[in-house]
Amino acid sequence: MYNREKQIIVSLITSILILGLYSLYVFNKYIEGNPDILNDFKFWGKAFLILIPVSVIAQIIIHIVFAIVNKITTNEDIPTISDERDKLIELRAIRISHWLFLCGFLLSMGSQAIGMLPGVMFITLISSGFVASFASEIARIYYYRKGF
Amino acid sequence: MSKCLIRNNIRKLRFNANEMTQQELADKTGVTRQTIVAIENGKYSPTLELAFRISLVFNCPLDEVFSYVPEEDSGTAYFKAN
């Protein structure tokens, strides 16, 4: 397996872990005793604003750790350049992820149009963001392996 | 419209260039080794610019490195060419 594929898998596992652990933390601390908070816009605003930096910092730390571990175990450097094929794969993956997120966004707006609670909209938005990111990483692995 | 295939002789040219490694070719052309592997295996068709850079490394014309074979002719034309 090439370093680029390993990087993608690490990124995939990291995203699952971050969202899983963060959701668990938020659920235990805020939602468990007070489910009505799900319809509070202030709560969702804070939840989103905290998730973004936490996610970025955790991704950076995990990638640094991965680069060090990879260097020690395989004596190979992580590629620092991004060539034309990498960029093309990135673009294709982003296209898939944008379409999926757009579908999620429309679903979340649809939930409001039919009078569902605001919590449904935010949960749909977070879920679609996660699914889009997940699908984008899977697509990248697929294109790296299969070619195009 | 038939699917087009781009074939290449990079493996042979690397061998003739004193067994140049994929990593060396990648370094000289400014791409990753994975891209060179993908091109050699026919999984990726490089841009014209990269194709020229590869041919410059081997110091030979572009059509000695890459050849264009439409799929419908690939069975016969490829063997005729080689």
Side-chain angles (χ1 to χ4, degrees):
Chain A
M1 188 183 283
Y2 292 100
N3 279 335
R4 196 73 76 182
E5 287 167 20
K6 285 186 205 165
Q7 263 183 314
I8 298 168
I9 290 169
V10 168
S11 180
L12 201 61
I13 294 168
T14 311
S15 332
I16 295 169
L17 279 178
I18 293 167
L19 189 69
L21 291 175
Y22 184 74
S23 305
L24 202 66
Y25 167 77
V26 170
F27 181 82
N28 285 335
K29 194 166 183 190
Y30 300 102
I31 304 171
E32 203 172 15
N34 182 21
D36 289 340
I37 203 170
L38 283 175
N39 300 316
D40 181 4
F41 282 79
K42 196 176 165 186
F43 161 75
W44 283 108
K46 281 183 182 172
F48 273 100
L49 282 180
I50 294 169
L51 176 63
I52 293 165
V54 164
S55 172
V56 170
I57 291 166
Q59 286 274 8
I60 291 169
I61 291 169
I62 288 172
H63 276 98
I64 290 169
V65 171
F66 166 72
I68 294 166
V69 171
N70 189 59
K71 178 72 184 170
I72 293 166
T73 53
T74 63
N75 204 24
E76 278 182 45
D77 290 318
I78 297 291
T80 47
I81 57 162
S82 180
D83 62 25
E84 56 176 48
R85 184 165 173 263
D86 296 324
K87 284 173 189 160
L88 209 53
I89 288 174
E90 187 75 38
L91 282 175
R92 284 169 180 246
I94 287 173
R95 187 174 61 184
I96 292 170
S97 123
H98 279 186
W99 275 109
L100 283 173
F101 187 72
L102 179 68
C103 291
F105 179 77
L106 291 176
L107 275 177
S108 68
M109 291 301 115
S111 73
Q112 295 310 290
I114 58 173
M116 292 173 108
L117 294 170
V120 177
M121 175 182 77
F122 289 113
I123 290 169
T124 313
L125 279 177
I126 286 188
S127 309
S128 64
F130 175 72
V131 169
S133 152
F134 189 83
S136 150
E137 304 293 11
I138 295 290
R140 283 173 69 196
I141 293 176
Y142 174 79
Y143 287 130
Y144 272 117
R145 293 218 160 170
K146 187 191 161 272
F148 51 89
Chain B
M1 198 174 127
S2 63
K3 191 185 170 189
C4 300
L5 296 172
I6 294 179
R7 296 186 185 275
N8 68 80
N9 294 315
I10 295 177
R11 178 71 195 92
K12 194 169 82 184
L13 290 164
R14 280 199 302 113
F15 180 79
N16 292 338
N18 207 14
E19 269 293 351
M20 181 190 286
T21 63
Q22 290 172 331
Q23 187 61 58
E24 283 169 345
L25 179 59
D27 292 341
K28 285 177 181 173
T29 50
V31 295
T32 59
R33 188 173 78 86
Q34 202 173 351
T35 298
I36 297 295
V37 173
I39 294 170
E40 267 193 30
N41 294 336
K43 287 184 174 180
Y44 173 64
S45 299
T47 59
L48 200 53
E49 189 187 339
L50 177 56
F52 272 111
R53 283 208 301 264
I54 292 170
S55 69
L56 276 175
V57 169
F58 294 119
N59 201 21
C60 62
L62 191 62
D63 62 355
E64 270 185 40
V65 186
F66 295 99
S67 52
Y68 171 88
V69 185
E71 193 174 41
E72 59 201 32
D73 300 335
S74 61
T76 52
Y78 177 70
F79 289 111
K80 277 179 192 168
N82 292 281

